[in-house]
Amino acid sequence: MRIMAQLAMVMNLDKCIGCHTCSVTCKQAWTNRAGTEYVWFNNVETRPGLGYPRGYQNQDEWQGGWTRTSNGRLRLRAGGRFKKLASIFSNPKLPSLQDYYEPWTYDYETLLNAPAQKNFPVARPYSIISGKPINVSWSANWDDDLGGSMEHAVKDPMLKGIEDKVTFEFEKTFMFYLPRICEHCLNPACAASCPSGAIYKRSEDGIVLVDQDRCRGWRMCISGCPYKKVYFNHKTGKAEKCTFCYPRVEVGLPTVCAETCVGRLRYIGLVFYDADKVLEAASVAKDTDLYAAQRACFLDPDDPEVQRAAREAGIPQEWVRAAERSPVWKLISKYQVALPLHPEYRTMPMVWYIPPLSPVVDVIRDTGHDAEDAGNLFAAIDTLRIPVEYLANLFTAGDTAPVDAALRRLAAMRSYMRERTLGREPGPAMAQAVGMSEEDLYEMFRLLAIAKYADRYVIPTAHAEQAHALEELATECALDGDGGVGMGGSGPVGEGSGRLTPVALENLRALKARAGGSEGGELVSGGSTRGRVNLLTWDGKGIPEGLFPADGKDG
């Protein structure tokens, strides 16, 4: 057993309201720079829909992820080394700008400076790429709230095989939002696709990063990623992707998208897994067995044998304690309500999702029945096969049994807590019907419904003795300051925001303390932060220096 630690995320889709706050704050923190106008490390899609980039799930077209050969071995769907070498200067399997969208701005000067006239002035959209007027016809979430569903959503690749049941009635019965970030996979196809070895997976926490110095812009990583969460910066000629906000998690803060999530639907925690089992699990014969195979790789942090192996592997004791409290471990393995996104890509994704129960409840309520009654909920899950099949195409490679089991547990929790709230004694029968205990149902309710900040984000901090190594890693993969390989003349929070302070552990702790109003929050690395606010290090407490203009001579 070769035990390793992985930071992972679970999202409760029942609580996502589609506000896009996570996308906007991620955009402000990471991709508010020239060359990344079209890049969204975090985006929120409406399902059913084509997603972003459009149709990214159609691997017959994009050739992403892994495929299993007849002899049981894995190979990249886009081809091995020889095929990559033959096409290294012309990679045809890339989404075009039209598959993403052509970023635009508006002619605000005409709107603001137009003289008094009979007709109201109009701010026309202009392409940020070419500077020419354009007609806006696509964006990162053009399917929002099933907009244009009869034209776009019906082409959703996940509807394959159930088109006759879904095409005309689906939008009336079932819709949900799907937030997406990089999956930080256990078996990342992007890293295996990179000819220069610029993409790597950190051994201490499993975060997948891009070394900006080694990246040569071959863009094979974009082809290899089946989730299309690696992007190309056309200004710097480098690949960029979600970093899991590693400067924040190293000091115990959650990612920006999780911190600012209005619905509080994201959970972050550690998962221990056996690295020796990953390849075997990713190589199982049937796609429908991949979910169970990946879950079998995860190790119980309460097991004394696992704890001993973790200590022998050099994993700090507080990381073991954090794994014991991990909400991700509980939702994936203890309660078994979280499911992976597209396990059939065989990348072993580590951002999991709790399927939405609300559409089932809405259908019951619309018929005039009690939507919280366990009998009604269980019957609806049995008969409402269309959404279960669609969810299975998303999360379990078409196997409806795990989705059905997860929905039943969520339904039992809802009904059980309704009975308790009304002062009744529900008894153990409802919990036993879904293979759980009353205590498990109540604890799952506390975690999913009323969990506090410290229970949703259980993130161990990096060790002080690792500070210099972390600083070197940060220098390798960070977007450097003015003129650097990753910035192209802009700062970390937009154009003209100044040079990026080196990401050292001591710096981030000092910035965190200063943002919280405590003493001793001075920078240790030099470099001025005057007049600049870094959202990556602000935890929302107090008023950080530079947020508002100072009085007096500073203006």
Side-chain angles (χ1 to χ4, degrees):
M1 179 172 63
R2 184 161 61 96
I3 186 171
M4 298 188 75
Q6 169 81 39
L7 270 174
M9 182 182 289
V10 168
M11 302 191 206
N12 185 358
L13 299 183
D14 233 2
K15 300 174 74 173
C16 184
I17 61 175
C19 65
H20 300 271
T21 304
C22 52
S23 300
V24 173
T25 51
C26 176
K27 184 73 174 176
Q28 174 67 14
W30 288 103
T31 58
N32 189 15
R33 294 171 281 108
T36 62
E37 293 89 351
Y38 78 101
V39 174
W40 296 85
F41 287 170
N42 183 110
N43 71 289
V44 182
E45 302 168 357
T46 299
R47 288 291 162 185
L50 290 181
Y52 170 74
R54 68 178 83 184
Y56 73 92
Q57 295 162 301
N58 184 3
Q59 301 312 325
D60 292 337
E61 168 68 21
W62 301 118
Q63 301 290 299
W66 302 87
T67 184
R68 187 178 185 272
T69 62
S70 57
N71 60 1
R73 302 186 64 180
L74 291 182
R75 68 170 178 84
L76 291 168
R77 190 184 292 268
R81 296 179 180 179
F82 294 108
K83 185 175 181 180
K84 283 182 168 46
L85 182 62
S87 60
I88 196 167
F89 294 108
S90 177
N91 182 5
K93 292 299 181 181
L94 290 173
S96 66
L97 191 61
Q98 286 68 38
D99 293 311
Y100 293 104
Y101 70 100
E102 188 167 0
W104 71 88
T105 186
Y106 292 95
D107 182 14
Y108 293 108
E109 290 299 318
T110 297
L111 184 64
L112 297 174
N113 300 327
Q117 54 185 292
K118 181 180 179 180
N119 298 319
F120 196 85
V122 176
R124 296 182 62 188
Y126 281 79
S127 169
I128 294 178
I129 304 298
S130 65
K132 299 179 181 179
I134 63 170
N135 292 321
V136 178
S137 60
W138 194 256
S139 75
N141 193 30
W142 201 252
D143 302 317
D144 197 14
D145 294 334
L146 291 175
S149 60
M150 295 306 294
E151 179 182 355
H152 301 299
V154 294
K155 301 175 185 177
D156 186 340
M158 294 300 99
L159 297 178
K160 186 177 181 180
I162 53 175
E163 298 92 344
D164 57 329
K165 304 176 184 178
V166 176
T167 302
F168 298 105
E169 298 295 328
F170 200 85
E171 67 271 21
K172 297 180 181 179
T173 60
F174 194 68
M175 186 199 80
F176 66 96
Y177 302 106
L178 182 71
R180 291 203 306 121
I181 65 172
C182 169
E183 296 287 332
H184 296 278
C185 307
L186 298 182
N187 184 33
C190 59
S193 301
C194 180
S196 56
I199 299 185
Y200 63 98
K201 187 173 179 65
R202 299 209 307 188
S203 60
E204 62 268 29
D205 54 19
I207 296 176
V208 178
L209 297 172
V210 181
D211 185 336
Q212 294 286 297
D213 287 329
R214 299 185 66 177
C215 179
R216 296 294 177 264
W218 299 120
R219 286 172 279 185
M220 296 295 179
C221 53
I222 300 175
S223 301
C225 175
Y227 305 96
K228 292 297 174 279
K229 276 299 177 180
V230 185
Y231 303 91
F232 183 69
N233 185 325
H234 58 81
K235 183 173 183 179
T236 64
K238 307 286 186 178
E240 298 185 18
K241 62 177 294 298
C242 162
T243 66
F244 211 80
C245 290
Y246 72 91
R248 292 176 59 91
V249 299
E250 285 173 3
V251 293
L253 294 175
T255 61
V256 168
C257 59
E259 178 83 70
T260 58
C261 177
V262 173
R264 300 182 179 182
L265 60 97
R266 300 182 187 232
Y267 300 81
I268 299 176
L270 273 182
V271 174
F272 287 159
Y273 69 96
D274 186 352
D276 290 333
K277 290 185 178 180
V278 170
L279 181 59
E280 178 184 353
S283 305
V284 296
K286 295 182 179 179
D287 288 349
T288 51
D289 293 335
L290 285 163
Y291 159 67
Q294 182 172 355
R295 209 159 54 80
C297 294
F298 300 147
L299 303 173
D300 185 354
D302 295 317
D303 187 343
E305 188 67 22
V306 172
Q307 295 180 2
R308 182 188 61 79
R311 288 192 296 270
E312 292 178 353
I315 297 176
Q317 185 63 22
E318 51 264 44
W319 282 49
V320 177
R321 296 289 172 257
E324 291 176 347
R325 297 177 46 236
S326 171
V328 172
W329 158 256
K330 294 176 183 177
L331 294 171
I332 292 177
S333 295
K334 184 177 181 181
Y335 305 136
Q336 298 181 25
V337 294
L339 304 169
L341 180 65
H342 291 301
E344 68 271 20
Y345 298 161
R346 298 180 183 267
T347 61
M348 311 286 278
M350 289 307 296
V351 177
W352 288 41
Y353 296 86
I354 299 174
L357 182 66
S358 294
V360 180
V361 177
D362 292 341
V363 170
I364 300 173
R365 186 180 295 112
D366 291 343
T367 62
H369 293 86
D370 184 356
E372 303 294 335
D373 180 76
N376 290 340
L377 278 172
F378 288 161
I381 293 171
D382 284 336
T383 58
L384 202 61
R385 302 309 300 171
I386 296 175
V388 174
E389 291 172 355
Y390 184 85
L391 291 172
N393 287 341
L394 275 176
F395 301 124
T396 54
D399 184 7
T400 59
V403 179
D404 186 83
L407 291 175
R408 284 175 172 272
R409 291 189 180 97
L410 296 171
M413 178 196 72
R414 183 176 296 208
S415 298
Y416 178 84
M417 290 308 303
R418 199 274 295 266
E419 295 298 303
R420 287 191 54 162
T421 302
L422 294 177
R424 303 169 185 167
E425 290 297 332
M430 195 178 302
Q432 293 173 356
V434 293
M436 300 177 71
S437 65
E438 290 185 81
E439 292 77 11
D440 285 341
L441 283 183
Y442 182 69
E443 289 302 319
M444 185 168 72
F445 162 75
R446 290 188 60 85
L447 183 59
L448 293 180
I450 58 175
K452 296 182 178 180
Y453 187 95
D455 297 323
R456 288 185 285 123
Y457 310 130
V458 182
I459 306 170
T461 58
H463 268 219
E465 62 268 20
Q466 298 174 344
H468 295 295
L470 290 172
E471 184 172 357
E472 291 174 3
L473 283 174
T475 303
E476 290 176 1
C477 67
L479 303 173
D480 295 339
D482 296 343
V485 295
M487 294 304 293
S490 13
V493 204
E495 297 293 329
S497 63
R499 181 172 292 277
L500 179 65
T501 303
V503 184
L505 188 65
E506 296 88 350
N507 293 350
L508 287 164
R509 283 178 175 162
L511 286 168
K512 179 184 176 184
R514 188 179 67 184
S518 59
E519 298 297 329
E522 296 296 330
L523 288 174
V524 298
S525 65
S528 172
T529 60
R530 186 176 182 180
R532 164 174 155 253
V533 180
N534 191 338
L535 295 181
L536 299 180
T537 56
W538 181 42
D539 62 359
K541 299 178 181 178
I543 301 177
E545 181 182 350
L547 184 61
F548 298 107
D551 295 330
K553 61 182 180 180
D554 289 336

